[in-house]
Amino acid sequence: MAANVEKTAALVASGDVRSAARLMRDIDDGRASAIDVLKALFPKTGRAYVVGITGSPGAGKSTLTDRLIAFWRAKGKTVGVVCVDPTSPFSGGAILGDRIRMQGHATDEGVFIRSLATRGALGGLSRATGEVIRVMDAMGKDVVIVETVGVGQDEVDIAKTAHTTVVVVVPGMGDDIQAIKAGILEVADVFAVNKADREGADRTVRELRAMLELRNITAPVDHDADHTMTKSAAFRAPEHDWEIPIVKTVAARDEGIAELAAALEKHREYLVKEGQLLRREAQRARQEFVELLRERLVRHALSKLEAEQGALDGVAERIARREADPYTLAEQLSDRLVR
Ligand SMILES: Nc1nc2c(ncn2[C@@H]2O[C@H](COP(=O)(O)OP(=O)(O)OP(=O)(O)O)[C@@H](O)[C@H]2O)c(=O)[nH]1
Ligand SMILES: [Mg+2]
């Protein structure tokens, strides 16, 4: 192993903020040296407890995160935060908001905050997020919080890779509660009804509870059943006997945070006791491994193609002109790759 790789890995593992920040930049830029450091760090990871916080824009995710940081810091735990914002690659608007919301911890050495937008990383946002989590884990952070705006499949996937996922909802959605994307609801291990200072919080709690109960008693329902039922059926099967808690919070006033943290802790204990922690890790590992493999194989295949048939653009043009067919080309190439 190159001496500088070893040195960087040792610095990151000792919690050095500057080395960690540089490594994360290298990861973003897709540098090969970053992979070497990640390899060296890998045995030092797997200790952090990863919490995903997701929900609609403006639900109060950053404010909640800020309060959770304070709560855990008071208990002597170190915290890493990854803010993932796929929605504003240019303005960085939400990320700016995230940073402002958490700036009280900016000078705390026990807190490391990092933002990620769509930019960068070859393997996409979810892989970059996984790697940043891993760096924080290697740094020795006890808890890593991942904040994502729950708007698309990408973010849902990211949230799913956390040990525990909090879905933040706000009152006043009234009848629209079924309209929350089933994809987001299905990843919830814990619900936070934030902005509980607003009218309708209890109603939202009741609606969520009714929805969860419905989920527990309904087997998959036909698509032509009534709308509500169809949505509920889309939820993932309950994980054995974990009852999804619903916690009311007023993040802006630091209320309900201890209760939320307690619900998270209870879920962590549940995961450990039921062997689910490893299962979730394996799920994440599987996804990551296949992605890595795909990326490498495609890169390998394309360089082989270029060596044999010229640049990809030329090959594509021949396909477009119907001088070659893509099926045969791909078949031949992958056959030779495997051999
Ligand atoms: N009334 C009320 N307002 C809150 C509460 N928590 C957060 N807010 C406010 O809601 C607004 C959005 O809060 P954020 O924490 O930035 O929400 P977010 O979900 O991180 O937003 P994005 O990252 O942009 O999706 C801010 O103005 C907060 O002050 C709460 O409990 N009650
Ligand atoms: Mg935010």
Side-chain angles (χ1 to χ4, degrees), residues 53-67 83-85 87 93-95 97-98 101-102 147-150 168 170 193-198 249-255:
I53 298 194
T54 190
S56 344
K61 301 176 295 297
S62 298
T63 315
L64 269 177
T65 301
D66 178 70
R67 303 304 186 173
C83 304
V84 186
D85 179 21
T87 55
I95 279 182
D98 296 339
R101 231 63 82 198
M102 298 170 204
E147 176 187 338
T148 61
V149 182
V168 184
V170 293
V193 177
N194 190 45
K195 307 198 183 183
D197 52 326
R198 287 194 185 167
T249 56
V250 185
R253 295 204 304 245
D254 203 17
E255 290 171 23

